[in-house]
Amino acid sequence: MTKNGPVVIVLAAGRGARFRASGGDGSKLQADLHGKPVLDHVLAAVERSGLAHHVVHRAAGDGMADSIAAGVRATATASGWLILPGDLPLISAPSLCRVAQALAQQPVVVPTFEGRRGHPVGFAGECYAALASLSGEAGGAAVVEHYRCEGRALLVPLDDPGILTDIDTLADLQRVHALLAAAT
């Protein structure tokens, strides 16, 4: 990793209410997936990418935007940020690297798979003030939209369904478990 490069902000402060409502027990990020917690799969991909990272376990509010703001403020000297929810256990390290590299082209980078937008969304350092002041549930959507309207957001097609494959419900966990079992 280059000094002062982008930092992967791993969002792990959510309540996981949909997971519990669907019959899941406890935290979806700590749910067992092939012998280790869901969050550990995400962190392993981040480690393989070689990018610096910061895990947000607690934020002032309950929303995704609160977690983003907390992570960005905690890493204020970074040249940029990749916002990665902690419930994407199939994300690949090369996908993280591609988003990080694309930040050299535009200040906002949104990965896509088969035309659908996924994570991590990348933000350059110039987005600091907007990201650090976020609050609520909407995540960074308003920041992405602002840059998109200015023609300064880049969509990066990736061949990685893991950028879309999140764990929100017990059925999602079972589906991802089956995908991993089929791959081994």
Side-chain angles (χ1 to χ4, degrees):
M1 184 191 90
T2 59
K3 185 177 182 199
N4 204 27
V7 173
V8 180
I9 303 296
V10 180
L11 306 177
R15 296 177 309 240
R18 284 187 289 177
F19 183 73
R20 284 191 305 281
S22 73
D25 185 29
S27 165
K28 68 180 179 178
L29 298 183
Q30 295 306 312
D32 181 70
L33 179 61
H34 260 313
K36 63 183 180 180
V38 168
L39 182 60
D40 286 2
H41 288 271
V42 175
L43 294 175
V46 174
E47 289 288 332
R48 287 190 303 274
S49 77
L51 296 166
H53 70 281
H54 176 81
V55 181
V56 178
H57 290 287
R58 291 178 185 233
D62 289 333
M64 180 184 284
D66 299 300
S67 293
I68 293 169
V72 168
R73 286 192 304 265
T75 58
T77 61
S79 66
W81 302 271
L82 276 60
I83 307 302
L84 180 62
D87 66 352
L88 289 162
L90 301 182
I91 189 81
S92 75
S95 292
L96 295 168
C97 292
R98 288 273 315 276
V99 173
Q101 292 162 353
L103 280 174
Q105 298 171 5
Q106 291 291 346
V108 172
V109 176
V110 180
T112 65
F113 177 73
E114 296 181 348
R116 294 176 52 205
R117 294 176 182 205
H119 285 93
V121 176
F123 297 93
E126 73 178 70
C127 301
Y128 175 81
L131 295 172
S133 64
L134 290 172
S135 65
E137 291 291 333
V143 180
V144 172
E145 183 60 16
H146 170 79
Y147 280 88
R148 188 197 64 74
C149 287
E150 289 184 349
R152 301 177 63 216
L154 177 66
L155 296 178
V156 176
L158 300 176
D159 187 23
D160 180 5
I163 70 168
L164 303 174
T165 310
D166 61 348
I167 306 290
D168 284 330
T169 66
L170 185 56
D172 292 338
L173 180 66
Q174 293 164 343
R175 181 175 45 86
V176 171
H177 184 76
L179 288 170
L180 288 173
T184 56

Coordinates of all heavy atoms in Angstrom, one line a residue, residues 1-81:
M1 N 0.8 -1.2 0.0 CA 0.0 0.0 0.0 C 0.9 1.2 0.0 O 1.9 1.3 0.7 CB -0.9 0.0 1.2 CG -1.8 1.2 1.2 SD -2.7 1.4 2.8 CE -1.5 2.5 3.6
T2 N 0.5 2.2 -0.8 CA 1.2 3.5 -0.8 C 0.9 4.3 0.4 O -0.2 4.2 0.9 CB 0.9 4.3 -2.1 OG1 -0.5 4.5 -2.1 CG2 1.3 3.6 -3.3
K3 N 1.9 5.0 0.9 CA 1.6 5.8 2.1 C 0.5 6.8 1.8 O 0.5 7.4 0.7 CB 2.9 6.6 2.5 CG 2.8 7.3 3.7 CD 4.0 8.0 4.1 CE 3.8 8.7 5.5 NZ 4.7 9.7 5.7
N4 N -0.4 7.0 2.8 CA -1.5 7.9 2.7 C -2.4 7.6 1.6 O -3.0 8.5 0.9 CB -0.9 9.4 2.6 CG -2.0 10.4 3.0 OD1 -2.8 10.1 3.9 ND2 -1.9 11.6 2.5
G5 N -2.6 6.3 1.2 CA -3.5 5.9 0.2 C -4.9 5.7 0.7 O -5.2 6.1 1.9
P6 N -5.8 5.3 -0.1 CA -7.2 5.1 0.4 C -7.3 4.1 1.5 O -6.5 3.1 1.5 CB -8.0 4.7 -0.9 CG -7.0 4.2 -1.8 CD -5.7 4.8 -1.5
V7 N -8.2 4.3 2.3 CA -8.5 3.4 3.5 C -9.8 2.7 3.2 O -10.8 3.4 2.9 CB -8.5 4.1 4.8 CG1 -8.9 3.2 6.0 CG2 -7.1 4.7 5.1
V8 N -9.9 1.4 3.5 CA -11.2 0.7 3.4 C -11.8 0.9 4.7 O -11.3 0.5 5.8 CB -11.0 -0.8 3.1 CG1 -12.3 -1.5 3.0 CG2 -10.2 -1.0 1.8
I9 N -13.0 1.5 4.7 CA -13.8 1.7 5.9 C -14.8 0.5 6.0 O -15.7 0.4 5.1 CB -14.6 3.0 5.9 CG1 -13.6 4.2 5.8 CG2 -15.5 3.1 7.2 CD1 -12.7 4.4 6.9
V10 N -14.6 -0.4 6.9 CA -15.5 -1.6 7.0 C -16.6 -1.3 8.0 O -16.3 -1.0 9.2 CB -14.7 -2.9 7.5 CG1 -15.6 -4.1 7.6 CG2 -13.6 -3.1 6.5
L11 N -17.8 -1.3 7.6 CA -19.0 -0.9 8.4 C -19.5 -2.1 9.2 O -20.0 -3.1 8.6 CB -20.1 -0.3 7.5 CG -19.6 0.9 6.6 CD1 -20.8 1.3 5.8 CD2 -19.1 2.0 7.5
A12 N -19.3 -2.1 10.5 CA -19.7 -3.2 11.3 C -20.5 -2.8 12.5 O -20.5 -3.5 13.5 CB -18.4 -4.0 11.7
A13 N -21.1 -1.6 12.4 CA -21.9 -1.1 13.6 C -23.4 -1.3 13.5 O -24.1 -0.9 14.4 CB -21.5 0.4 13.8
G14 N -23.9 -1.8 12.4 CA -25.3 -1.9 12.2 C -26.0 -2.8 13.2 O -25.4 -3.7 13.8
R15 N -27.3 -2.6 13.3 CA -28.1 -3.4 14.3 C -28.4 -4.8 13.8 O -28.6 -5.7 14.6 CB -29.4 -2.7 14.6 CG -29.2 -1.4 15.3 CD -30.5 -0.7 15.5 NE -31.2 -0.6 14.2 CZ -31.6 0.5 13.6 NH1 -31.4 1.6 14.2 NH2 -32.3 0.5 12.5
G16 N -28.5 -5.0 12.5 CA -28.8 -6.3 11.9 C -30.3 -6.7 12.2 O -30.5 -7.9 12.4
A17 N -31.2 -5.8 12.3 CA -32.6 -6.1 12.7 C -33.2 -7.0 11.7 O -34.0 -7.9 12.1 CB -33.4 -4.8 12.8
R18 N -33.0 -6.8 10.4 CA -33.6 -7.7 9.4 C -33.1 -9.2 9.6 O -33.9 -10.1 9.4 CB -33.3 -7.2 8.0 CG -34.1 -6.0 7.6 CD -33.9 -5.7 6.2 NE -32.6 -5.1 6.0 CZ -32.1 -4.8 4.8 NH1 -32.8 -4.9 3.7 NH2 -30.9 -4.3 4.7
F19 N -31.9 -9.3 9.9 CA -31.3 -10.7 10.1 C -32.1 -11.4 11.3 O -32.5 -12.5 11.1 CB -29.8 -10.6 10.4 CG -29.2 -12.0 10.5 CD1 -29.0 -12.8 9.4 CD2 -28.7 -12.4 11.7 CE1 -28.4 -14.0 9.5 CE2 -28.1 -13.7 11.9 CZ -28.0 -14.5 10.7
R20 N -32.2 -10.7 12.4 CA -32.9 -11.3 13.5 C -34.3 -11.5 13.2 O -34.9 -12.5 13.6 CB -32.7 -10.4 14.8 CG -31.3 -10.6 15.4 CD -31.1 -10.0 16.7 NE -31.5 -8.6 16.8 CZ -30.7 -7.6 16.3 NH1 -29.5 -7.8 15.9 NH2 -31.1 -6.3 16.4
A21 N -35.0 -10.6 12.5 CA -36.4 -10.7 12.2 C -36.7 -11.9 11.3 O -37.7 -12.5 11.3 CB -36.9 -9.4 11.6
S22 N -35.6 -12.3 10.5 CA -35.8 -13.4 9.6 C -35.5 -14.7 10.2 O -35.6 -15.8 9.6 CB -34.9 -13.2 8.4 OG -33.5 -13.5 8.8
G23 N -35.2 -14.7 11.5 CA -34.9 -16.0 12.2 C -33.5 -16.2 12.6 O -33.1 -17.2 13.2
G24 N -32.6 -15.2 12.2 CA -31.2 -15.3 12.5 C -31.0 -15.1 14.0 O -31.7 -14.4 14.7
D25 N -29.9 -15.7 14.5 CA -29.6 -15.6 16.0 C -28.4 -14.7 16.2 O -27.4 -14.9 15.6 CB -29.3 -17.0 16.5 CG -29.1 -17.0 18.0 OD1 -29.7 -16.1 18.7 OD2 -28.4 -17.8 18.5
G26 N -28.6 -13.6 16.9 CA -27.5 -12.7 17.2 C -27.1 -11.8 16.0 O -27.9 -11.5 15.2
S27 N -25.8 -11.5 15.9 CA -25.3 -10.5 14.9 C -25.1 -11.3 13.6 O -24.4 -12.3 13.6 CB -24.0 -9.9 15.4 OG -23.3 -9.3 14.3
K28 N -25.5 -10.7 12.5 CA -25.3 -11.3 11.2 C -23.8 -11.3 10.9 O -23.3 -12.2 10.2 CB -26.0 -10.6 10.1 CG -25.6 -9.2 9.8 CD -26.4 -8.6 8.7 CE -26.0 -7.1 8.4 NZ -26.7 -6.6 7.3
L29 N -23.0 -10.3 11.4 CA -21.6 -10.3 11.1 C -20.8 -11.3 11.9 O -19.7 -11.7 11.5 CB -21.1 -8.9 11.4 CG -21.7 -7.7 10.6 CD1 -21.0 -6.4 11.0 CD2 -21.6 -8.0 9.1
Q30 N -21.4 -11.8 13.0 CA -20.8 -12.9 13.7 C -21.3 -14.3 13.4 O -20.9 -15.3 13.9 CB -20.9 -12.6 15.2 CG -20.1 -11.4 15.7 CD -18.7 -11.4 15.2 OE1 -18.0 -12.4 15.4 NE2 -18.2 -10.3 14.6
A31 N -22.3 -14.3 12.5 CA -22.9 -15.6 12.1 C -21.9 -16.5 11.4 O -21.0 -16.0 10.7 CB -24.1 -15.4 11.2
D32 N -21.9 -17.8 11.7 CA -21.0 -18.7 11.1 C -21.2 -18.9 9.6 O -22.3 -19.2 9.2 CB -21.1 -20.1 11.8 CG -20.1 -21.1 11.2 OD1 -18.9 -20.9 11.5 OD2 -20.5 -22.0 10.5
L33 N -20.1 -18.8 8.9 CA -20.2 -19.0 7.4 C -18.9 -19.8 7.1 O -17.8 -19.2 7.1 CB -20.2 -17.6 6.7 CG -20.2 -17.7 5.2 CD1 -21.5 -18.5 4.7 CD2 -20.2 -16.3 4.6
H34 N -19.1 -21.0 6.9 CA -18.0 -21.9 6.5 C -16.9 -21.9 7.6 O -15.7 -21.8 7.3 CB -17.4 -21.6 5.2 CG -17.8 -22.5 4.1 ND1 -17.9 -23.9 4.2 CD2 -18.3 -22.2 2.9 CE1 -18.3 -24.4 3.1 NE2 -18.6 -23.4 2.3
G35 N -17.3 -21.9 8.9 CA -16.3 -22.1 10.0 C -15.7 -20.8 10.5 O -14.9 -20.8 11.4
K36 N -16.2 -19.6 10.0 CA -15.7 -18.4 10.6 C -16.8 -17.3 10.4 O -17.7 -17.5 9.5 CB -14.4 -17.9 10.0 CG -14.4 -17.6 8.5 CD -12.9 -17.3 8.1 CE -12.8 -17.0 6.6 NZ -11.5 -16.6 6.2
P37 N -16.8 -16.3 11.2 CA -17.8 -15.3 11.1 C -17.8 -14.6 9.8 O -16.8 -14.4 9.1 CB -17.4 -14.3 12.2 CG -16.6 -15.1 13.2 CD -15.9 -16.1 12.3
V38 N -19.0 -14.1 9.4 CA -19.2 -13.4 8.1 C -18.2 -12.2 8.0 O -17.5 -12.0 7.0 CB -20.6 -12.8 8.0 CG1 -20.8 -11.8 6.9 CG2 -21.6 -14.0 7.8
L39 N -18.0 -11.4 9.1 CA -17.1 -10.3 9.1 C -15.7 -10.7 8.8 O -14.9 -10.0 8.1 CB -17.2 -9.5 10.4 CG -16.3 -8.3 10.5 CD1 -16.7 -7.2 9.4 CD2 -16.4 -7.6 11.9
D40 N -15.3 -11.9 9.3 CA -13.9 -12.4 9.1 C -13.6 -12.6 7.6 O -12.5 -12.4 7.1 CB -13.6 -13.6 9.9 CG -13.4 -13.3 11.4 OD1 -13.6 -12.1 11.8 OD2 -13.2 -14.3 12.1
H41 N -14.6 -13.1 6.9 CA -14.5 -13.3 5.4 C -14.2 -11.9 4.7 O -13.3 -11.8 3.9 CB -15.7 -13.9 4.8 CG -15.9 -15.3 5.1 ND1 -15.4 -16.3 4.4 CD2 -16.6 -15.9 6.2 CE1 -15.8 -17.5 4.9 NE2 -16.5 -17.3 6.0
V42 N -14.9 -10.9 5.1 CA -14.7 -9.6 4.6 C -13.3 -9.0 4.9 O -12.6 -8.6 4.1 CB -15.8 -8.6 5.1 CG1 -15.6 -7.2 4.6 CG2 -17.2 -9.1 4.7
L43 N -12.9 -9.2 6.2 CA -11.6 -8.7 6.6 C -10.5 -9.4 6.0 O -9.4 -8.8 5.7 CB -11.5 -8.7 8.1 CG -12.4 -7.8 8.9 CD1 -12.4 -8.0 10.4 CD2 -12.2 -6.4 8.5
A44 N -10.7 -10.7 5.7 CA -9.6 -11.5 5.0 C -9.4 -10.9 3.6 O -8.3 -10.8 3.1 CB -10.0 -13.0 4.9
A45 N -10.5 -10.6 2.9 CA -10.4 -10.0 1.5 C -9.7 -8.7 1.6 O -8.8 -8.3 0.7 CB -11.8 -9.9 0.9
V46 N -10.0 -7.9 2.6 CA -9.4 -6.6 2.8 C -7.9 -6.8 3.0 O -7.0 -6.1 2.4 CB -10.0 -5.7 3.9 CG1 -9.2 -4.5 4.1 CG2 -11.5 -5.4 3.5
E47 N -7.5 -7.7 3.9 CA -6.1 -8.0 4.1 C -5.4 -8.4 2.8 O -4.3 -8.0 2.6 CB -6.0 -9.1 5.2 CG -6.4 -8.7 6.6 CD -5.4 -7.7 7.2 OE1 -4.2 -7.8 6.9 OE2 -5.8 -6.9 8.0
R48 N -6.0 -9.3 2.0 CA -5.4 -9.7 0.8 C -5.2 -8.6 -0.2 O -4.3 -8.6 -1.0 CB -6.2 -10.8 0.1 CG -6.1 -12.2 0.9 CD -6.8 -13.3 0.1 NE -8.2 -13.1 -0.3 CZ -9.2 -13.4 0.5 NH1 -9.0 -13.9 1.7 NH2 -10.4 -13.2 0.1
S49 N -6.0 -7.6 -0.1 CA -5.9 -6.4 -1.0 C -4.7 -5.6 -0.7 O -4.2 -4.9 -1.6 CB -7.2 -5.5 -0.9 OG -7.1 -4.7 0.2
G50 N -4.2 -5.6 0.5 CA -3.0 -4.8 0.8 C -3.4 -3.4 1.2 O -2.5 -2.6 1.5
L51 N -4.6 -3.1 1.2 CA -5.1 -1.7 1.5 C -5.2 -1.6 3.0 O -5.6 -2.5 3.7 CB -6.4 -1.4 0.8 CG -6.4 -1.4 -0.7 CD1 -7.8 -1.4 -1.2 CD2 -5.7 -0.1 -1.2
A52 N -5.0 -0.4 3.5 CA -5.2 -0.1 4.9 C -6.7 -0.2 5.2 O -7.5 0.1 4.3 CB -4.7 1.3 5.3
H53 N -7.1 -0.4 6.4 CA -8.5 -0.5 6.7 C -8.8 0.0 8.1 O -7.9 0.0 9.0 CB -9.1 -1.9 6.5 CG -8.6 -2.9 7.5 ND1 -7.4 -3.5 7.4 CD2 -9.2 -3.4 8.6 CE1 -7.3 -4.4 8.4 NE2 -8.4 -4.3 9.1
H54 N -10.0 0.3 8.3 CA -10.5 0.8 9.7 C -11.9 0.2 9.8 O -12.7 0.4 8.9 CB -10.6 2.3 9.7 CG -11.1 2.8 11.0 ND1 -10.4 2.9 12.2 CD2 -12.4 3.2 11.3 CE1 -11.1 3.4 13.1 NE2 -12.4 3.6 12.7
V55 N -12.1 -0.5 10.9 CA -13.4 -1.1 11.2 C -14.2 -0.2 12.1 O -13.7 0.1 13.2 CB -13.3 -2.6 11.8 CG1 -14.7 -3.2 12.0 CG2 -12.4 -3.4 10.9
V56 N -15.4 0.1 11.7 CA -16.3 0.9 12.5 C -17.3 0.0 13.3 O -18.2 -0.6 12.7 CB -17.1 1.9 11.7 CG1 -18.1 2.7 12.6 CG2 -16.2 2.8 10.9
H57 N -17.0 -0.2 14.6 CA -17.9 -1.1 15.4 C -19.0 -0.3 16.1 O -20.0 -0.9 16.4 CB -17.0 -1.8 16.4 CG -16.1 -2.9 15.9 ND1 -16.6 -4.1 15.4 CD2 -14.8 -2.9 15.7 CE1 -15.6 -4.8 15.0 NE2 -14.5 -4.1 15.1
R58 N -18.7 1.0 16.3 CA -19.7 1.8 17.0 C -19.7 3.2 16.3 O -18.7 3.7 15.9 CB -19.4 2.0 18.4 CG -19.5 0.8 19.2 CD -19.1 1.1 20.7 NE -19.2 -0.2 21.4 CZ -19.8 -0.4 22.5 NH1 -20.5 0.6 23.1 NH2 -19.9 -1.5 23.1
A59 N -20.9 3.8 16.2 CA -21.1 5.1 15.7 C -22.1 5.9 16.5 O -22.9 5.2 17.3 CB -21.6 5.1 14.2
A60 N -22.1 7.2 16.4 CA -22.9 8.0 17.3 C -24.4 7.7 17.0 O -25.2 7.7 17.9 CB -22.6 9.5 17.0
G61 N -24.8 7.4 15.8 CA -26.2 7.1 15.5 C -26.3 5.7 15.0 O -25.3 5.0 15.0
D62 N -27.5 5.3 14.6 CA -27.7 3.9 14.2 C -27.6 3.7 12.7 O -27.7 2.6 12.2 CB -29.1 3.5 14.6 CG -29.2 3.3 16.1 OD1 -28.2 3.0 16.8 OD2 -30.3 3.5 16.7
G63 N -27.6 4.8 11.9 CA -27.6 4.6 10.5 C -26.3 4.4 9.8 O -25.2 4.6 10.4
M64 N -26.3 3.9 8.6 CA -25.1 3.6 7.8 C -24.3 4.9 7.6 O -23.1 4.9 7.7 CB -25.5 3.0 6.4 CG -24.2 2.8 5.6 SD -24.5 2.2 3.9 CE -25.0 0.5 4.2
A65 N -25.0 6.0 7.4 CA -24.3 7.3 7.2 C -23.5 7.7 8.5 O -22.4 8.2 8.4 CB -25.2 8.4 6.8
D66 N -24.0 7.4 9.6 CA -23.3 7.7 10.9 C -22.0 6.9 11.0 O -21.0 7.4 11.4 CB -24.2 7.3 12.1 CG -25.5 8.2 12.1 OD1 -25.4 9.4 12.2 OD2 -26.6 7.5 12.1
S67 N -22.1 5.6 10.5 CA -20.9 4.8 10.5 C -19.9 5.3 9.5 O -18.7 5.3 9.8 CB -21.3 3.3 10.2 OG -22.1 2.8 11.3
I68 N -20.3 5.6 8.3 CA -19.4 6.2 7.3 C -18.7 7.4 7.9 O -17.5 7.5 7.8 CB -20.2 6.5 6.0 CG1 -20.7 5.3 5.4 CG2 -19.2 7.3 5.1 CD1 -21.6 5.5 4.2
A69 N -19.5 8.3 8.5 CA -18.9 9.6 9.0 C -17.9 9.3 10.1 O -16.8 9.8 10.1 CB -20.0 10.5 9.5
A70 N -18.2 8.3 11.0 CA -17.3 8.0 12.0 C -16.0 7.4 11.5 O -14.9 7.7 11.9 CB -17.9 7.0 13.0
G71 N -16.1 6.5 10.5 CA -14.9 5.9 9.9 C -14.0 6.9 9.2 O -12.8 6.9 9.2
V72 N -14.6 7.8 8.4 CA -13.9 8.8 7.7 C -13.2 9.8 8.6 O -12.0 10.1 8.5 CB -14.9 9.6 6.7 CG1 -14.2 10.8 6.1 CG2 -15.3 8.6 5.6
R73 N -13.9 10.2 9.7 CA -13.3 11.1 10.6 C -12.1 10.5 11.4 O -11.1 11.1 11.7 CB -14.4 11.6 11.7 CG -15.3 12.6 11.1 CD -16.2 13.3 12.2 NE -16.9 12.4 13.0 CZ -18.2 12.0 12.8 NH1 -18.9 12.5 11.8 NH2 -18.7 11.2 13.6
A74 N -12.2 9.2 11.6 CA -11.1 8.4 12.3 C -9.9 8.3 11.4 O -8.8 8.0 11.9 CB -11.7 7.1 12.8
T75 N -10.1 8.4 10.1 CA -9.0 8.3 9.2 C -8.8 9.5 8.3 O -8.6 9.4 7.1 CB -9.2 7.0 8.3 OG1 -10.5 7.2 7.6 CG2 -9.2 5.7 9.1
A76 N -8.9 10.6 8.9 CA -9.0 11.9 8.2 C -7.8 12.2 7.3 O -7.9 13.0 6.3 CB -9.2 13.1 9.2
T77 N -6.6 11.6 7.5 CA -5.5 11.9 6.7 C -5.4 11.0 5.5 O -4.4 11.2 4.7 CB -4.2 11.8 7.5 OG1 -4.1 10.5 8.0 CG2 -4.2 12.8 8.7
A78 N -6.3 10.1 5.3 CA -6.3 9.2 4.1 C -6.5 10.0 2.9 O -7.1 11.1 2.9 CB -7.3 8.2 4.3
S79 N -6.0 9.5 1.8 CA -6.2 10.2 0.5 C -7.6 9.9 -0.1 O -8.0 10.5 -1.1 CB -5.1 9.7 -0.5 OG -5.3 8.4 -0.8
G80 N -8.3 8.9 0.5 CA -9.6 8.5 0.1 C -10.1 7.4 0.9 O -9.4 6.9 1.8
W81 N -11.3 6.9 0.6 CA -12.0 5.9 1.4 C -12.8 5.0 0.4 O -13.4 5.4 -0.5 CB -12.9 6.5 2.4 CG -12.2 7.4 3.3 CD1 -11.6 7.1 4.5 CD2 -12.0 8.8 3.1 NE1 -11.0 8.2 5.0 CE2 -11.3 9.3 4.2 CE3 -12.4 9.7 2.1 CZ2 -10.9 10.6 4.3 CZ3 -12.0 11.1 2.2 CH2 -11.3 11.5 3.3

